């Protein structure tokens, strides 16, 4: 008898990766002349499960830029001198991320102002901020880079402590 091989390529979707499940591929063959039905009452049938590599991975980098302080050589030395923080959050995995949470003790401080979060195109990203916890409420697509910026004004207590500001 004749043997025919059918070969094709199937491109998986981001939704299938995000589902974190294998992909089931089912095939059924029928013909007018072949009236055989297997024990499940179907025609000739075959299937295969193919695992999908699921790799959620988020990275974060925080940087500080000290504004011009009021001390010698622009050092921070007076209440209200500022530090501008930039936090970069990147989806380095192959999975769309949801409810990405960034916790920073400076978020809840009354000394923090001008907090913004934008994507790589400068478009504002939906988020909530509660008690120092910033939750990104929009899905973070694969490869997305979000930038969080804010300004922190140092306090007299931090100056009096004569210690570096932990960020």
């Amino acid at each position: 008898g004749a043997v025919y091989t059918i070969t094709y390529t199937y491109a998986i979707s981001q939704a299938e990766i995000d589902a974190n499940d294998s992909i089931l591929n089912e095939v059924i063959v029928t013909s007018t002349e072949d009236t055989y039905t297997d024990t499940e009452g179907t025609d000739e049938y075959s299937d295969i499960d193919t695992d999908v590599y699921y790799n959620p991975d988020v990275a974060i980098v925080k940087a500080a830029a000290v504004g011009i302080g009021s001390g010698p050589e622009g050092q921070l030395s007076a209440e209200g001198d500022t530090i501008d923080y930039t936090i970069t959050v990147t989806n380095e995995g192959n999975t769309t991320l949801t409810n990405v949470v960034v916790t920073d003790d400076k978020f809840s401080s009354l000394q923090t102002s001008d907090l913004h979060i934008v994507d790589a195109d400068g478009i504002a990203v939906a988020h909530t901020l509660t008690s120092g916890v910033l939750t990104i409420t929009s899905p973070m697509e694969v490869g997305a880079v979000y930038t969080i910026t804010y300004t922190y004004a140092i306090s007299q207590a931090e100056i009096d402590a004569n210690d570096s500001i932990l960020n």
Side-chain angles (χ1 to χ4, degrees), residues 98-132:
T98 57
N99 293 314
V100 174
V101 175
V102 179
T103 304
D104 185 325
D105 63 341
K106 301 287 189 265
F107 286 163
S108 62
S109 171
L110 296 177
Q111 297 159 237
T112 296
S113 62
D114 298 325
L115 188 137
H116 302 283
I117 177 169
V118 296
D119 65 14
D121 295 323
I123 298 170
V125 174
H127 66 279
T128 60
L129 181 61
T130 307
S131 301

Side-chain angles (χ1 to χ4, degrees), residues 34-167:
D34 183 0
T35 58
Y36 172 76
T37 303
D38 68 16
T39 57
E40 282 99 29
T42 62
D43 295 312
E44 300 294 326
Y45 169 89
S46 182
D47 69 3
I48 187 166
D49 261 337
T50 305
D51 290 332
V52 174
Y53 180 64
Y54 180 76
N55 182 35
D57 186 17
V58 64
I60 190 165
V61 175
K62 184 175 184 179
V66 176
I68 297 175
S70 55
E73 300 178 23
Q75 296 168 321
L76 300 176
S77 65
E79 182 174 31
D81 285 353
T82 60
I83 305 169
D84 293 322
Y85 288 107
T86 301
I87 300 170
T88 305
V89 180
T90 305
N91 182 350
E92 294 183 340
N94 71 337
T95 306
T96 302
L97 303 174
T98 57
N99 293 314
V100 174
V101 175
V102 179
T103 304
D104 185 325
D105 63 341
K106 301 287 189 265
F107 286 163
S108 62
S109 171
L110 296 177
Q111 297 159 237
T112 296
S113 62
D114 298 325
L115 188 137
H116 302 283
I117 177 169
V118 296
D119 65 14
D121 295 323
I123 298 170
V125 174
H127 66 279
T128 60
L129 181 61
T130 307
S131 301
V133 177
L134 183 142
T135 302
I136 299 169
T137 56
S138 59
M140 189 173 191
E141 302 296 328
V142 173
V145 177
Y146 293 164
T147 303
I148 303 164
T149 56
Y150 65 92
T151 300
Y152 179 78
I154 65 170
S155 68
Q156 187 60 50
E158 289 167 321
I159 295 166
D160 293 347
N162 193 28
D163 199 2
S164 61
I165 297 173
L166 180 61
N167 53 54

